[in-house]
Amino acid sequence: MVPAIQVEKVSKHYGALRALDEVSLTVERGEFFGLLGPNGAGKTTLINILAGLVLATRGGARVMGHDVVRQYREARRALGVVPQELVFDPFFTVREALAFQSGYFGLRHNQDWIDEVMHHLDLAARAETNMRALSGGMKRRVLVAQALVHKPPVIVLDEPTAGVDVELRQALWRFVRRLNQDGHTIVLTTHYLEEAEALCGRIAMLKQGRVVALDTTQNLLRRHSGCYLELRLQPDRLPGTLAPLVTQRREGGYRLALRDYNEVERVIAELRAAGLGIQDLEVMQPDLEEIFVQIMRGADGQESGDDRRKTMDERRGQDGALHEPIEKIR
């Protein structure tokens, strides 16, 4: 069967800048695929090449078997893209914008599907509202609706939940999951890595225009060694030999980063030797955010335990408010 997306040694150069450097990947039909990377990694450039908005310097790409350059009409008809930027026509109502978008693909009598898309994205009550009068979150809902209005088999979501509220995020993921279950291929880019971990079956990670990791989500989580130990002690103190392992200090508790599970036994032995009682103990696996940090800090995906411990607190401080929504998705 022809893959949904096939990218073969795609490079894109802007003068001396290499936005993409021989990127190759395949997304099979029906996959929920994650495309992750820091800002400037080349994710949006790759999406723009698939959408026909940017020409690759070298290499080629196909959508549902259609070359994005030589068979651009067929390729674009098979693809729906939700861009990062809020782009809209200020002269149309929501319904008119979706009707025009439908017409661009030659679809007539598409009102039933338009109504269904608006219903699932909570746009029905604003169907006759001018686009200029919508909030930023509502405009983003319309962008999602525009990408879906021609029922493309492949849907690319480029940071679709950036700056939107929890309610929309949950409604969007319910709808997108339903589309995926119905056979649509979904490609997601997001900085909310909890979303990628919960939703994506397979993930590619880009760094400086190159693919540095490509595997199933579960294999990525299993491949990288290490674990975390949450402790509550009585009395509330830690032996000096264990202090280098601490990544987080809480009132009455500690979080320790360990290189592997064999270290758990050593930690417990040292606590007992110091005469400390363990009130609470929990061993946790690294999540996708932690794996992402490891991979991005080393091209081969390997980061020293000391580096991983040193960066854990600052990363948690940056995104600590982003955990609640994905827990509800699960």
Side-chain angles (χ1 to χ4, degrees):
M1 183 180 293
V2 176
I5 293 175
Q6 194 164 13
V7 177
E8 297 178 345
K9 295 185 177 181
V10 166
S11 296
K12 179 60 182 178
H13 300 168
Y14 295 96
L17 174 65
R18 294 188 176 188
L20 294 173
D21 192 3
E22 294 199 348
V23 170
S24 295
L25 58 87
T26 299
V27 181
E28 300 297 339
R29 296 192 188 193
E31 272 199 279
F32 205 129
F33 188 88
L35 187 62
L36 308 181
N39 292 332
K43 306 183 298 297
T44 299
T45 300
L46 180 57
I47 290 170
N48 287 340
I49 288 173
L50 293 174
L53 300 175
V54 170
L55 292 177
T57 305
R58 286 196 300 272
R62 293 177 175 271
V63 179
M64 298 298 289
H66 306 297
D67 187 279
V68 298
V69 176
R70 294 192 299 271
Q71 299 168 300
Y72 65 91
R73 286 189 177 89
E74 294 85 353
R76 293 179 191 180
R77 193 174 292 120
L79 188 69
V81 178
V82 180
Q84 288 188 42
E85 297 81 11
L86 291 177
V87 181
F88 64 94
D89 193 317
F91 300 104
F92 294 141
T93 66
V94 171
R95 187 183 297 278
E96 288 170 342
L98 297 181
F100 272 95
Q101 183 75 10
S102 184
Y104 293 151
F105 292 93
L107 298 178
R108 300 180 181 180
H109 313 298
N110 198 30
Q111 196 56 54
D112 289 344
W113 175 244
I114 290 175
D115 288 340
E116 184 174 350
V117 170
M118 287 195 298
H119 168 72
H120 285 290
L121 294 172
D122 198 22
L123 288 168
R126 295 169 174 80
E128 308 306 326
T129 303
N130 189 282
M131 292 289 296
R132 286 175 295 183
L134 298 179
S135 66
M138 285 296 171
K139 289 187 179 80
R140 189 164 294 280
R141 296 184 193 208
V142 177
L143 290 181
V144 176
Q146 286 180 314
L148 301 178
V149 77
H150 62 292
K151 296 183 180 180
V154 183
I155 302 166
V156 178
L157 307 173
D158 192 2
E159 299 287 347
T161 57
V164 302
D165 56 58
V166 175
E167 184 178 359
L168 170 59
R169 188 174 300 177
Q170 294 174 350
L172 174 62
W173 291 137
R174 284 194 296 268
F175 187 37
V176 170
R177 271 179 162 162
R178 176 192 153 192
L179 291 171
N180 183 235
Q181 291 166 0
D182 289 342
H184 292 265
T185 303
I186 311 295
V187 177
L188 169 69
T189 78
T190 180
H191 288 297
Y192 301 158
L193 299 192
E194 303 96 333
E195 291 182 346
E197 183 176 348
L199 296 166
C200 299
R202 205 156 59 97
I203 289 173
M205 294 186 185
L206 295 181
K207 179 180 180 182
Q208 297 177 346
R210 287 181 171 269
V211 176
V212 294
L214 176 58
D215 209 335
T216 66
T217 306
Q218 291 306 311
N219 282 347
L220 285 171
L221 293 172
R222 284 194 295 261
R223 185 193 304 170
H224 296 271
S225 63
C227 63
Y228 294 88
L229 190 64
E230 293 272 5
L231 290 169
R232 292 179 64 86
L233 304 173
Q234 182 61 40
D236 182 18
R237 60 182 176 84
L238 199 69
T241 55
L242 299 180
L245 305 181
V246 176
T247 66
Q248 201 167 53
R249 175 71 169 94
R250 300 172 181 171
E251 185 176 351
Y254 302 84
R255 190 179 201 210
L256 280 59
L258 309 182
R259 290 182 176 85
D260 54 52
Y261 288 95
N262 294 329
E263 281 196 278
V264 175
E265 184 177 350
R266 177 180 70 85
V267 169
I268 294 174
E270 291 194 27
L271 293 174
R272 286 175 176 166
L276 300 172
I278 301 174
Q279 291 185 315
D280 190 28
L281 182 148
E282 183 179 2
V283 181
M284 299 179 297
Q285 290 182 322
D287 59 18
L288 187 61
E289 290 186 14
E290 290 150 358
I291 301 304
F292 179 83
V293 169
Q294 292 181 35
I295 291 174
M296 291 303 116
R297 292 181 71 86
D300 59 357
Q302 299 299 320
E303 177 190 30
S304 73
D306 290 339
D307 287 341
R308 178 158 47 90
R309 293 164 189 145
K310 183 174 66 175
T311 60
M312 197 56 57
D313 273 339
E314 59 185 80
R315 186 180 57 77
R316 289 289 181 190
Q318 289 172 350
D319 65 2
L322 300 178
H323 291 274
E324 181 182 359
I326 199 66
E327 292 299 323
K328 295 181 180 178
I329 290 173
R330 289 182 179 138

